[in-house]
Amino acid sequence: MGRGNRNQTGVSEFFVLGLSNDWGTQISLFVLFLAMYLVTIIGNVFILLLIRLDSRLHIPMYFFLSVLSFVDLCYASSITPQMLVHLLSALKSISFHGCVLQLYSSLALGGSEFLLLGAMAYDRYVAVCHPLHYTVIMHGQLCLGLAAGCLVAGFMNSLMETIITFRLPLCHDVISHFACETLAVLRLACMDISFNKIMVAISGLLVITLPCLLVLFSYARIVAAIVHIRSTHGRSKAFGTCASHLTVVCMCFGASIFTYFGPKSASLEEEEKMVSLFYAVVAPMLNPMIYSLRNKEVMAAFRNLLEKFRKKG
């Protein structure tokens, strides 16, 4: 490693081990992840355009969905393109400042997504439990405030975690991961990292546990309200408005709960890679599919848009 252009940590660039050392496996992973990334871009852009073009989707639920799609798009783009480059590279390097930016942006966007899922759960609670006052409670300013608050909180939390991570003196430059991830970078430190691990735990409490509690509270009230609906059609309709969001919540929070509270195996670093892959590659691809295929209003808007294009053609 060169001695020039070093920062205060003594490291000017990092080398990531990636997902495999086998060239054939790397090519296969490149094709797979490139396809998944393209699906992610198409799916989330599709959701954004559909919500923008169909006035029937200009309600709080789909406003939050559009913000979630934008965050997913940015989140995937903060990690996947660099990972794809590394899969075709013999030397998998990233500059110090590039690593800082990747860690900060992925943490910020990931944290914002969890907070947004909590805000969306509150929106579903108001829609099911207070349907007559829904438009009054979930007015435009509140929706904008909730979305902005989620993003600001996510980025501020990430700023704190990024600063305390890269202020550590780093004695090594090889990251046992495919990206700049907090725990992987912390392992490069020359000193005790107990304080940093505590801060990471607090960070997880803020951006994962608190939204999770809000989700549990909201859906407990939603279930209680649905139980009191007499007609089967009414129950089905009430649950249908929450089905897509509940699926995404179970998928995202389930993976986090397993990571934090599940049994720890000897291959902890490999587990961290798999969880990071899930959030960076899989979840952003699945979210728009879940909201499209399981949502009658989105599919109706899509058919309406196709019909408009046919008439113009």
Side-chain angles (χ1 to χ4, degrees):
M1 185 178 62
R3 295 288 177 180
N5 191 32
R6 287 174 174 268
N7 50 65
Q8 62 180 354
T9 68
V11 176
S12 60
E13 65 178 343
F14 296 98
F15 301 91
V16 297
L17 294 183
L19 296 167
S20 173
N21 292 322
D22 179 71
W23 181 247
T25 302
Q26 289 188 82
I27 295 296
S28 299
L29 290 175
F30 173 84
V31 173
L32 174 64
F33 293 148
L34 176 60
M36 294 175 74
Y37 183 54
L38 291 176
V39 172
T40 297
I41 294 174
I42 294 170
N44 284 289
V45 170
F46 165 75
I47 290 288
L48 288 168
L49 288 176
L50 197 61
I51 293 173
R52 177 69 180 85
L53 294 174
D54 196 307
S55 59
R56 292 174 298 179
L57 301 183
H58 293 175
I59 60 175
M61 175 182 175
Y62 296 106
F63 165 74
F64 287 117
L65 176 56
S66 65
V67 178
L68 182 67
S69 291
F70 179 74
V71 168
D72 274 338
L73 193 58
C74 294
Y75 188 18
S77 299
S78 71
I79 293 178
T80 307
Q82 181 73 67
M83 181 177 64
L84 291 173
V85 170
H86 284 166
L87 285 171
L88 297 181
S89 305
L91 188 65
K92 301 171 175 55
S93 64
I94 183 171
S95 69
F96 177 85
H97 294 101
C99 188
V100 173
L101 179 61
Q102 185 179 74
L103 178 65
Y104 173 69
S105 57
S106 61
L107 279 176
L109 294 163
S112 297
E113 176 159 347
F114 282 112
L115 294 167
L116 277 168
L117 289 174
M120 292 172 77
Y122 175 72
D123 169 70
R124 292 299 82 207
Y125 155 71
V126 176
V128 174
C129 299
H130 304 283
L132 298 179
H133 301 93
Y134 178 64
T135 55
V136 176
I137 297 173
M138 299 301 297
H139 54 82
Q141 286 186 332
L142 178 63
C143 293
L144 284 172
L146 285 173
C150 291
L151 293 173
V152 170
F155 277 81
M156 291 301 294
N157 178 73
S158 176
L159 180 62
M160 176 273 294
E161 193 168 325
T162 303
I163 289 174
I164 65 171
T165 297
F166 284 100
R167 288 192 66 182
L168 291 172
L170 304 178
C171 296
H172 310 283
D173 59 4
V174 179
I175 299 176
S176 181
H177 208 280
F178 62 84
C180 291
E181 192 267 346
T182 306
L183 293 177
V185 174
L186 288 177
R187 295 191 187 101
L188 308 181
C190 310
M191 57 182 289
D192 181 67
I193 58 173
S194 299
F195 171 76
N196 295 77
K197 287 185 175 180
I198 292 173
M199 296 305 294
V200 170
I202 293 174
S203 173
L205 179 68
L206 293 174
V207 302
I208 298 176
T209 307
L210 292 181
C212 186
L213 291 175
L214 179 58
V215 168
L216 291 174
F217 168 79
S218 297
Y219 276 99
R221 298 296 298 271
I222 288 171
V223 170
I226 291 176
V227 167
H228 287 88
I229 298 176
R230 295 183 179 181
S231 69
T232 304
H233 174 72
R235 290 180 182 179
S236 177
K237 183 178 180 180
F239 183 76
T241 64
C242 306
S244 299
H245 176 256
L246 188 58
T247 303
V248 172
V249 162
C250 291
M251 181 176 66
C252 292
F253 282 100
S256 290
I257 290 171
F258 178 80
T259 303
Y260 278 88
F261 303 108
K264 303 300 180 185
S265 67
S267 57
L268 181 60
E269 292 183 9
E270 292 304 313
E271 287 182 1
E272 290 173 4
K273 289 181 184 180
M274 293 303 102
V275 172
S276 296
L277 266 180
F278 174 80
Y279 283 118
V281 180
V282 180
M285 178 188 70
L286 291 181
N287 287 353
M289 292 183 182
I290 292 170
Y291 275 103
S292 299
L293 300 177
R294 293 181 61 89
N295 193 299
K296 293 180 180 179
E297 290 177 328
V298 171
M299 294 306 296
F302 178 56
R303 288 192 293 269
N304 183 56
L305 186 63
L306 287 179
E307 189 63 28
K308 287 182 179 179
F309 278 121
R310 286 197 191 101
K311 290 179 178 179
K312 288 182 179 179

